Amino acid sequence: MKLIKLTAVSAAILASTAAMAADPIVVVDDNDAVVYEAATPAYQYNQDAGIIRNTTGALVGTTKTLFNTAINPAAVSAEVGTLGYGANVAWGINDKVELQAGWAGGDPADLFGGDFDANDVEYDVDADFSNPYLGVQVRPAANWFTMGAGVIVPDNSLDVKANPEGGYYKIDGVKYDANDVGSLEGSIDHRNKLAPYATIGFRPNITNNFGVFGEIGAAYLGTTSAKVRSNNTNLNVQNDSGNLTGQSADDVALKAAQELEDEDYLEWLPIVKLGATYRF
């Protein structure tokens, strides 16, 4: 009878652990009743993979387990790159998969140069980025190599200012006198409200808690809409031969805006980021 009792108790404990039962297990043998508490889900640090391994499947467990997982992330990271400066929080699903939620913003033009060319016009850029994102990081071989994918909710402002060359703006194949046109300033906005992205990277550990990472990839922000204005408004402008073109400074500004839209500046936003991670 004692052997039967021990066998029944062992089977009950194993079954309760596998199922993550939240309630106690009661085993009754004749007049005896023994109460056993369900085992608590175990979390184990996987040093080789550099993420948290949830040995009992935290995201498909009880409400208590879900709550504990949500308030106990696997890691926090700081990053800098083409999306801006930012940080993210990660939750480990298993030894190969992490969920990430983060934000990056600021003025990345300070890091990578604040100008670009659209056809024959050079523009200075002043950027104000805000890029919240949600994604997943996968380690196919459960090591330092990673593949990422997700979606960005971009709210990026790009202010531009044209620089004349040799006293002229060359727009749509015509050189316009910069004194007549005046200053050309405007803004560029992306039309997509959601931007899917994909990356590959590396995430080696330095210690049990600290690691570094790097990622490269791209996000699709879609086509752009541009607005350019001149401070000389309706003034009739001359070309490089000194002849009146029959076009006003406003007409030149509209052509400049069209060239910016045709350029599709940052339709595909390159993602390059470096950062450091602290794992709990």
Side-chain angles (χ1 to χ4, degrees):
M1 183 61 67
K2 295 296 183 182
L3 177 60
I4 295 174
K5 178 187 293 187
L6 291 173
T7 303
V9 170
S10 300
I13 293 174
L14 289 173
S16 64
T17 303
M20 294 181 296
D23 297 325
I25 296 93
V26 180
V27 178
V28 179
D29 179 27
D30 296 332
N31 295 324
D32 296 328
V34 183
V35 179
Y36 297 89
E37 293 294 333
T40 302
Y43 296 83
Q44 177 183 339
Y45 183 79
N46 181 347
Q47 184 174 353
D48 293 332
I51 65 174
I52 297 300
R53 174 181 292 170
N54 178 357
T55 58
T56 53
L59 294 188
V60 291
T62 63
T63 303
K64 180 179 179 181
T65 307
L66 284 168
F67 178 76
N68 287 340
T69 301
I71 65 174
N72 293 284
V76 294
S77 301
E79 64 182 57
V80 60
T82 53
L83 293 177
Y85 309 86
N88 67 65
V89 181
W91 292 266
I93 306 304
N94 54 42
D95 61 345
K96 293 185 179 181
V97 181
E98 281 183 339
L99 292 179
Q100 285 185 338
W103 177 90
D107 187 359
D110 290 341
L111 296 172
F112 304 100
D115 61 81
F116 76 100
D117 292 330
N119 290 341
D120 297 308
V121 181
E122 182 185 85
Y123 289 87
D124 289 330
V125 180
D126 184 16
D128 184 11
F129 275 18
S130 178
N131 291 298
Y133 62 88
L134 183 65
V136 60
Q137 283 284 337
V138 179
R139 299 172 183 263
N143 59 13
W144 57 266
F145 175 72
T146 63
M147 300 175 66
V151 63
I152 300 171
V153 186
D155 183 15
N156 300 327
S157 173
L158 294 165
D159 294 327
V160 296
K161 181 178 180 179
N163 295 316
E165 182 177 352
Y168 297 93
Y169 297 108
K170 187 176 181 181
I171 299 173
D172 197 24
V174 178
K175 287 186 176 181
Y176 297 97
D177 191 307
N179 292 323
D180 292 344
V181 175
S183 65
L184 291 177
E185 300 182 19
S187 61
I188 301 173
D189 294 302
H190 289 95
R191 296 173 183 174
N192 281 13
K193 302 305 179 184
L194 294 176
Y197 74 86
T199 62
I200 59 173
F202 63 94
R203 289 177 176 264
N205 291 328
I206 304 302
T207 69
N208 283 346
N209 296 106
F210 288 96
V212 295
F213 68 89
E215 293 179 39
I216 58 172
Y220 181 69
L221 275 70
T223 56
T224 59
S225 58
K227 296 178 181 178
V228 177
R229 58 190 176 277
S230 167
N231 63 343
N232 280 352
T233 62
N234 294 320
L235 181 66
N236 197 350
V237 299
Q238 304 177 74
N239 59 21
D240 57 339
S241 298
N243 300 320
L244 291 175
T245 61
Q247 298 179 73
S248 68
D250 288 336
D251 294 330
V252 176
L254 287 174
K255 287 187 175 183
Q258 185 60 56
E259 283 195 344
L260 286 173
E261 291 186 358
D262 291 343
E263 189 75 8
D264 276 338
Y265 181 62
L266 292 185
E267 177 181 4
W268 286 92
L269 174 65
I271 295 177
V272 179
K273 63 171 70 175
L274 297 172
T277 297
Y278 179 82
R279 299 193 174 279
F280 298 99

